[in-house]
Amino acid sequence: MTNVLLILVSGIFVQNFIFSRFLGICPFLGVSKSIPTAVGMGVAVTFVMAMASAITYVVQYAILTPLHLEYLQTIAFILVIATLVQLVEMIIKKVSPTLYNALGVYLPLITTNCAVLGAALLNIQNGYNFIESVAFGVAGALGFTLAIILFAGVRDKLRISAIPEAMQGFPIALVTAGLMSIAFLGFSGMLNV
Amino acid sequence: MEILIPVLVLGAMGLVFGSGLALASKIFEVKQDERIPQVRNELPGANCGGCGYPGCDALAEAIVNGEAEVNTCPVGGAPVAAKIGEIMGLEVEETEPQVAHIMCHGTHDVAPVRAEYYGLNDCRDAFNANGGTKSCRYGCLGYGSCVASCPFDAIHMGEDGIPIVDEEKCTACATCVATCPKDVIQIVPKNQNIFVSCSNTEPAKYVKPTCTVGCIGCRMCTRVCPTNSITVTDNLASINYDTCINCGLCVEKCPANAITGDKIEGNLEEYMKEHPDFDPNGKPAPRRRKEAAA
C-alpha cells in the first residue's frame, strides 16, 4: 500500500511526465489554450492511460511473455492504446460534442502521445505488479493533467499580458513551459521509487 | 512457426479489439445528419479554407445546419453549388466566377529597389525587413510567397518580378490574398479585363520617384469613363466591376499607364449606339470642383 502511495506521489510531482520526463509535450502545448479544454484533455488522457496500463499489463504477462514474444511489445501496446483512444473518441463525441470539437485533432493524437506508451513500457521495465502498474498509469496521467491545467492557467494570463511581438504565441509558451519545468525540479530527489 | 505465432497473436488481438470497437460504436453512436457526408462528397476536398471554414468537413456541416449558403465554396463554383443545392433541396443562384488579380505591375524595370535584401526568398520575411526592398511601399515584392501558397498551382512568377495568375486554374480561394504581406492581390470577377494595377495610395509626387507606372490619382480615368465606373479615393483609382463595360478608354487615357488590360472589342460601340451623345474623343468633362476638393 505504501508502495502504491509512493508511486502516486512520485508520478504526479517528482517524476511528472511533462516536466521531468518530457513525455507528451504535443498535447501539452496544443490543448493548453483554455482551462476547460485542458481539463477535458486531462480526463481523456487519464482514462486512456489507466486503461492502457491495466490492459498492457495483461497483454504483456498473459500473452507476450508466455509465448516469448516480448519483441512485439511496442506494436502490441500501440494496438491497445489506439483501440482505447478510438473508444474515448466515441464516448466524448457522444457525451460532449463541444469538448469533441475543442480537442479536435489532439484527441486521436492521444494515440501517439508518448506519455501513454511511455507509462505502459515503464511499467514493464520497472517490474511493477498489476496494482502498481495501474497506479503508475493513473499517477502519470494525473501529473499530466496537473501540468496541462497549470499551464493553461498561465497561458490564460499570458493572453492579456503585454508581451513583445516577437515573443507572442508559442515562443512565450515554450519559455513558460521551461520555467515551470525548472520549478518542478524542486521536487526531484524527494522520493526514490 | 516462429513467424506464424506472432502474426496469429497480433491478428487475434486486433480482432478482439476491433470487435470491441465495433460494439462500442453501436452503443455510442451519434446520429449525424446524413446530408453532411453527402455534401462533403460534393465539395472539392482541397481544405483550402477559402470559404472561411476550417476545411471542407466544417463547411459541409455548416451548410447542412443552414449556417452557410450552398454556394459558399469558391473553389467548386457553380457546378458544386448546384449539386449541393440538389442535396439540400434548394434552388441556387448562379455565382459569377472569380479569379485573383495582382494589383501591381511595377516590374523590375519600372519600379527600382531601394536596398539590397539578403534573406529568405519569401515576401513575408522580406516584408519584415523594413517593408521589403521595393522603393514603392505598396507594390508587389516579387519573392513569390503567393506562388508557394497557391494550393492549385495557379500563380507563377513572371520573368519581370510580378506573379502571373493562371485564370484557368485559379479558383478564387483567396489563399494568396491572405498570404501576401502587401495586400496587392484581390479577388475580381473573371470576366473583368481592365484593372487599376496599382495599390499606391500616396500623392503623385511620392509615387513618381518610386514607380513609373503607379497611379498618381490624376482622375483622368474618372472623366473619360463613359459609365462613371471609376472613382479615386486616397489618390488611387478603383473600378466598379459591376458597371465597367471594359471599353478600354481609361487604359488609353491613363497618363501613368497604371490601368492595364485588354478592352473587349465592340463594347464601346454598343454603348455609343445606346448613348449617341457620348464622344470618346471629345474633351473630357470638366473636373467637378466639389469632388476634387473632397
Side-chain angles (χ1 to χ4, degrees):
Chain A
M1 198 58 219
T2 336
N3 208 5
V4 171
L5 209 63
L6 276 180
I7 288 177
L8 275 173
V9 175
S10 154
I12 295 174
F13 295 109
V14 184
Q15 298 209 301
N16 187 291
F17 265 86
I18 298 282
F19 291 135
S20 72
R21 291 187 202 268
F22 304 108
L23 293 172
I25 302 293
C26 165
F28 174 68
L29 290 170
V31 204
S32 54
K33 286 199 185 99
S34 81
I35 295 180
T37 328
V39 173
M41 188 68 183
V43 172
V45 169
T46 308
F47 178 79
V48 172
M49 261 171 97
M51 295 286 285
S53 296
I55 297 177
T56 52
Y57 182 87
V58 176
V59 167
Q60 172 76 20
Y61 289 109
I63 302 174
L64 298 184
T65 316
L67 293 170
H68 303 291
L69 293 175
E70 284 90 350
Y71 61 89
L72 284 181
Q73 212 180 36
T74 310
I75 188 167
F77 286 8
I78 284 291
L79 191 63
V80 171
I81 294 165
T83 313
L84 285 169
V85 170
Q86 285 291 309
L87 188 66
V88 171
E89 198 174 342
M90 286 174 198
I91 296 175
I92 292 186
K93 201 171 179 182
K94 174 89 177 175
V95 177
S96 167
T98 332
L99 182 60
Y100 180 78
N101 281 333
L103 291 178
V105 70
Y106 290 100
L107 188 53
L109 275 181
I110 300 177
T111 317
T112 50
N113 184 340
C114 46
V116 181
L117 183 64
L121 291 174
L122 283 168
N123 280 332
I124 309 300
Q125 222 174 67
N126 294 347
Y128 288 149
N129 65 29
F130 183 76
I131 304 286
E132 287 169 339
S133 293
V134 176
F136 186 75
V138 171
L142 288 181
F144 175 87
T145 311
L146 176 74
I148 196 169
I149 292 175
L150 286 178
F151 191 50
V154 175
R155 280 183 87 171
D156 246 5
K157 295 266 189 292
L158 282 180
R159 208 169 24 213
I160 50 167
S161 326
I163 299 164
E165 201 174 328
M167 292 294 286
Q168 274 168 17
F170 269 110
I172 191 72
L174 288 168
V175 170
T176 315
L179 289 174
M180 289 174 75
S181 171
I182 293 173
F184 264 68
L185 262 183
F187 290 115
S188 72
M190 281 174 69
L191 291 172
N192 258 330
V193 186
Chain B
M1 281 310 269
E2 259 180 32
I3 294 178
L4 203 59
I5 290 179
V7 171
L8 284 178
V9 166
L10 272 187
M13 280 174 66
L15 199 67
V16 171
F17 292 146
S19 16
L21 278 184
L23 198 69
S25 73
K26 281 275 170 268
I27 299 172
F28 295 108
E29 194 181 6
V30 178
K31 289 258 184 312
Q32 195 190 26
D33 195 321
E34 59 183 17
R35 289 176 302 180
I36 292 177
Q38 283 174 5
V39 171
R40 173 68 187 80
N41 281 342
E42 294 303 335
L43 292 171
N47 287 320
C48 62
C51 53
Y53 288 89
C56 294
D57 283 323
L59 177 61
E61 212 176 311
I63 289 176
V64 173
N65 293 339
E67 290 158 13
E69 298 292 325
V70 288
N71 56 4
T72 309
C73 178
V75 178
V80 167
K83 279 182 194 158
I84 296 175
E86 230 168 77
I87 297 169
M88 298 293 294
L90 293 172
E91 289 288 319
V92 190
E93 284 172 37
E94 291 263 318
T95 51
E96 206 176 343
Q98 294 184 309
V99 289
H101 184 80
I102 318 290
M103 293 297 170
C104 174
H105 66 307
T107 50
H108 291 320
D109 44 331
V110 294
V113 293
R114 60 189 164 90
E116 299 252 331
Y117 168 70
Y118 298 96
L120 282 180
N121 207 14
D122 180 278
C123 299
R124 284 164 297 178
D125 276 298
F127 180 71
N128 281 341
N130 200 10
T133 56
K134 202 160 236 177
S135 49
C136 170
R137 290 193 164 268
Y138 300 82
C140 169
L141 292 175
Y143 294 102
S145 285
C146 51
V147 177
S149 77
C150 180
F152 301 97
D153 190 34
I155 307 187
H156 296 283
M157 184 52 69
E159 278 171 22
D160 45 10
I162 299 292
I164 299 162
V165 178
D166 183 340
E167 295 201 354
E168 291 306 307
K169 288 184 183 169
C170 179
T171 61
C173 72
T175 308
C176 51
V177 177
T179 305
C180 178
K182 291 284 190 184
D183 289 336
V184 295
I185 310 181
Q186 284 179 15
I187 300 296
V188 299
K190 197 170 186 172
N191 58 13
Q192 176 70 22
N193 278 17
I194 311 284
F195 299 101
V196 180
S197 289
C198 179
S199 304
N200 195 325
T201 56
E202 280 179 28
K205 78 170 184 180
Y206 299 108
V207 175
K208 270 294 165 197
T210 60
C211 178
T212 56
V213 295
C215 175
I216 53 176
C218 66
R219 288 165 204 267
M220 185 67 95
C221 48
T222 64
R223 277 170 279 154
V224 77
C225 180
T227 59
N228 289 323
S229 301
I230 309 183
T231 48
V232 175
T233 35
D234 294 342
N235 308 302
L236 178 63
S238 66
I239 300 177
N240 180 349
Y241 302 128
D242 292 334
T243 54
C244 172
I245 56 169
N246 289 296
C247 65
L249 279 180
C250 50
V251 182
E252 286 167 27
K253 287 281 158 58
C254 179
N257 293 323
I259 307 183
T260 59
D262 301 322
K263 67 175 176 183
I264 297 178
E265 295 290 340
N267 276 8
L268 181 61
E269 287 72 10
E270 209 171 287
Y271 179 83
M272 282 165 64
K273 247 182 246 166
E274 288 167 23
H275 302 80
D277 42 330
F278 176 73
D279 178 10
N281 300 317
K283 258 180 152 180
R287 182 198 292 244
R288 273 167 284 170
R289 290 195 182 277
K290 262 185 195 164
E291 185 195 293

